[in-house]
Amino acid sequence: LFVNEMKMNGRLMELFPDGGDPVVLTDGLALGNAMQLGPDGCLYYPQMLRNEVWRIPPDGGVPERVAAEVDDPVAVRFDRGGVLVVLSRGMAGVVTRIDLDTGARSVVATGIVGLD
């Protein structure tokens, strides 16, 4: 089970149902939140206060920033085609689609406040 702490200097951790010690994959998050396993096998997560999306292999390693200047990212998901979809917590309800192969972006303002 992978969880992150939605706080300054938060951690992304693996927890074990049998009560084993948690494994910290990375720390220093600036309000991490809703993450998802990507098609490449990495965990993708937003850092809300940095307006960035990052990824890390689930067995640990060095985190990598995959997107900067994303509007108030609160959650990340992947569509069936493997395109990264980032939801905004902002007033405009922005949804940003990012093709990780090309870097191409499309942005839609839904007008739905507080997407998550």
Side-chain angles (χ1 to χ4, degrees):
L1 173 65
F2 295 97
V3 298
N4 59 32
E5 298 174 310
M6 194 172 116
K7 66 179 193 172
M8 289 306 296
N9 269 338
R11 301 171 294 173
L12 191 157
M13 300 175 286
E14 183 175 8
L15 304 179
F16 302 96
D18 65 2
D21 290 335
V23 174
V24 176
L25 299 179
T26 189
D27 59 8
L29 303 185
L31 296 183
N33 198 28
M35 59 187 156
Q36 185 171 19
L37 191 66
D40 59 359
C42 288
L43 290 168
Y44 285 73
Y45 55 95
Q47 291 205 51
M48 290 194 282
L49 295 184
R50 293 190 182 131
N51 293 334
E52 298 173 340
V53 175
W54 288 69
R55 70 179 168 196
I56 190 168
D59 57 353
V62 178
E64 176 186 11
R65 185 177 69 187
V66 296
E69 298 178 23
V70 181
D71 185 62
D72 284 330
V74 69
V76 298
R77 295 292 179 258
F78 285 89
D79 70 12
R80 292 182 183 169
V83 173
L84 178 64
V85 178
V86 184
L87 300 180
S88 166
R89 64 188 172 106
M91 296 300 290
V94 172
V95 176
T96 304
R97 296 174 51 83
I98 304 170
D99 184 320
L100 295 175
D101 292 330
T102 66
R105 292 186 186 198
S106 63
V107 177
V108 174
T110 67
I112 301 171
V113 177
L115 294 173
D116 194 355

